[in-house]
Amino acid sequence: MYKRNVLVTGGAGFIGCNFVNFYLEKNESDAVVVLDNLTYAGNKANLNAVSDNANFRFEYGDIRDQQRVERLLRENEINVIVHFAAESHVDRSISGPDVFIETNIVGTHALLKAARQVWIEEGLFPTAHRFHHVSTDEVYGSLGPEDPSFTEETAYAPNSPYSASKAASDHLVRAYHRTYGLCTTVSNCSNNYGPYQHDEKLIPTVVRQALRGQAIPIYGTGSNVRDWLYVMDHCRAIDAILDRGMVGEVYNVGGGMECDNVTLAKHVCARVDELIADSPELQSRYPKCLVNRGLQSESLIEFVPDRAGHDFRYSINSEKIHKTLSFSPEASFAESLRQTVLFLLQRG
């Protein structure tokens, strides 16, 4: 493989920071520039582990700023873009969809225009370049209990402003490959979990509420099903796509761990209780956790009115990436969930 100079958008966010940390450790000769607008979901401290790496640079900025992106591509001789930057919380997209349109559609288009200008029109990297777009399984819509899993051939049927904005960005990436010859790949992943996830997501919410001894809100009856993917497995999948993925292809990435929301919440509560029960330090740090009184945190679970347009089930068929790129998730769900909860307990 050629030496990569990689622009990672949204690299201070949850999945992005895990990818940057993973990538620089694995690819010591490559360089990474992170472009991040540091919205509420981004934290530069997530990149402290690589801040002193000579091959790392952080750039504060908005992906919608096409001229800045073009400058970064030229100055750093960027030949790979890994595009994580996105508004991603469904609840926020329901209450305020405009920013999702701006970031996920307009922002992605600005990146594509910049890449086309520098890589194709100016010929900086006429052949050896890659634009990898990180998307979601939510673009495929909702499945019933017995429906077959999503494949790369599943028709798009987004049901929230968030998933609709991601679907639009997927289509733009495809169009720039087919129309202008931009070397693109797309991955559609299932629900991620792991270190550095923002507090608004389900697993951090369950942990936070359990530590406070407060109600843990679960939508509807808690029967909605998601496929859970450990974030480091997701990073490995993206790296495999950059290494061996075919230009113009789409790859579904799942964790092979379907679980309904209430069962997941109970698993998380159990890990919270076990870790605190085994640690006097954590017991004193979180005195309101029910395990300190001999009770179980799962008793805090409370069902709340369902979310508007709540998709029932997501399920990923990862056969393509397994067969063509020899990728399979490695993480044990039990152990990776335990490590995720421990990270959240230690972070506070």
Side-chain angles (χ1 to χ4, degrees), residues 50-116:
V50 296
S51 60
D52 293 330
N53 190 317
N55 290 329
F56 170 77
R57 174 186 169 190
F58 180 86
E59 176 91 3
Y60 172 74
D62 193 320
I63 60 171
R64 294 175 297 175
D65 186 345
Q66 181 182 338
Q67 290 186 337
R68 173 174 288 194
V69 175
E70 289 181 15
R71 175 179 60 80
L72 287 174
L73 298 183
R74 297 186 189 102
E75 288 180 355
N76 298 278
E77 298 185 345
I78 298 293
N79 52 9
V80 174
I81 295 174
V82 182
H83 177 33
F84 292 98
E87 295 287 340
S88 66
H89 193 45
V90 175
D91 287 355
R92 288 179 182 267
S93 81
I94 294 171
S95 60
D98 289 7
V99 68
F100 287 74
I101 306 305
E102 282 295 320
T103 300
N104 299 353
I105 302 178
V106 177
T108 300
H109 192 218
L111 287 172
L112 289 165
K113 288 190 292 182
R116 177 194 171 202

Side-chain angles (χ1 to χ4, degrees), residues 249-311:
E249 291 295 311
V250 176
Y251 297 92
N252 282 352
V253 184
M257 181 59 202
E258 286 190 46
C259 186
D260 63 71
N261 288 344
V262 69
T263 299
L264 178 72
K266 290 178 179 179
H267 282 311
V268 174
C269 287
R271 300 295 83 75
V272 169
D273 292 350
E274 290 169 5
L275 288 164
I276 290 183
D278 289 342
S279 171
E281 178 187 352
L282 291 175
Q283 290 168 24
S284 61
R285 186 173 179 180
Y286 300 109
K288 295 182 180 180
C289 187
L290 295 191
V291 72
N292 289 325
R293 292 183 277 151
L295 302 174
Q296 293 183 326
S297 293
E298 74 171 59
S299 65
L300 296 168
I301 291 174
E302 179 179 286
F303 297 107
V304 298
D306 208 356
R307 180 167 68 199
H310 197 180
D311 290 338

Side-chain angles (χ1 to χ4, degrees), residues 5-308:
N5 296 321
V6 186
L7 176 66
V8 178
T9 70
F14 165 42
I15 306 175
C17 76
N18 278 286
F19 177 78
V20 171
N21 293 333
F22 163 85
Y23 188 87
L24 283 172
E25 181 177 357
K26 178 179 179 291
N27 303 281
E28 295 180 356
S29 64
D30 291 354
V32 170
V33 177
V34 166
L35 175 63
D36 200 296
N37 206 27
L38 295 179
T39 64
Y40 78 94
N43 185 347
K44 193 176 178 181
N46 292 347
L47 297 165
N48 282 347
V50 296
S51 60
D52 293 330
N53 190 317
N55 290 329
F56 170 77
R57 174 186 169 190
F58 180 86
E59 176 91 3
Y60 172 74
D62 193 320
I63 60 171
R64 294 175 297 175
D65 186 345
Q66 181 182 338
Q67 290 186 337
R68 173 174 288 194
V69 175
E70 289 181 15
R71 175 179 60 80
L72 287 174
L73 298 183
R74 297 186 189 102
E75 288 180 355
N76 298 278
E77 298 185 345
I78 298 293
N79 52 9
V80 174
I81 295 174
V82 182
H83 177 33
F84 292 98
E87 295 287 340
S88 66
H89 193 45
V90 175
D91 287 355
R92 288 179 182 267
S93 81
I94 294 171
S95 60
D98 289 7
V99 68
F100 287 74
I101 306 305
E102 282 295 320
T103 300
N104 299 353
I105 302 178
V106 177
T108 300
H109 192 218
L111 287 172
L112 289 165
K113 288 190 292 182
R116 177 194 171 202
Q117 173 61 33
V118 175
W119 290 345
I120 296 177
E121 300 303 322
E122 298 175 15
L124 183 58
F125 291 101
T127 55
H129 71 258
R130 179 71 64 88
F131 186 111
H132 181 71
H133 177 55
V134 181
S135 191
T136 172
D137 57 359
E138 297 191 38
V139 299
Y140 298 125
S142 182
L143 295 172
E146 305 301 325
D147 289 337
S149 301
F150 300 133
T151 72
E152 291 81 359
E153 304 304 318
T154 301
Y156 276 30
N159 292 316
S160 71
Y162 161 62
S163 57
S165 68
K166 290 298 288 185
S169 63
D170 290 3
H171 293 320
L172 284 169
V173 172
R174 172 185 168 86
Y176 266 68
H177 169 64
R178 295 296 295 268
T179 303
Y180 303 115
L182 197 68
C183 295
T184 67
T185 44
V186 175
S187 56
N188 295 89
C189 70
S190 57
N191 281 40
N192 280 219
Y193 66 98
Y196 303 107
Q197 191 167 29
H198 192 270
D199 286 347
E200 67 190 0
K201 300 295 186 175
L202 178 57
I203 290 176
T205 294
V206 174
V207 173
R208 180 182 67 251
Q209 296 301 99
L211 296 178
R212 294 174 177 175
Q214 297 177 351
I216 298 169
I218 300 294
Y219 282 128
T221 62
S223 59
N224 300 75
V225 175
R226 300 293 181 261
D227 176 7
W228 292 92
L229 172 67
Y230 189 50
V231 67
M232 293 313 300
D233 278 330
H234 188 190
C235 294
R236 290 178 47 249
I238 295 171
D239 191 57
I241 294 169
L242 294 179
D243 275 346
R244 305 182 295 280
M246 294 292 292
V247 168
E249 291 295 311
V250 176
Y251 297 92
N252 282 352
V253 184
M257 181 59 202
E258 286 190 46
C259 186
D260 63 71
N261 288 344
V262 69
T263 299
L264 178 72
K266 290 178 179 179
H267 282 311
V268 174
C269 287
R271 300 295 83 75
V272 169
D273 292 350
E274 290 169 5
L275 288 164
I276 290 183
D278 289 342
S279 171
E281 178 187 352
L282 291 175
Q283 290 168 24
S284 61
R285 186 173 179 180
Y286 300 109
K288 295 182 180 180
C289 187
L290 295 191
V291 72
N292 289 325
R293 292 183 277 151
L295 302 174
Q296 293 183 326
S297 293
E298 74 171 59
S299 65
L300 296 168
I301 291 174
E302 179 179 286
F303 297 107
V304 298
D306 208 356
R307 180 167 68 199

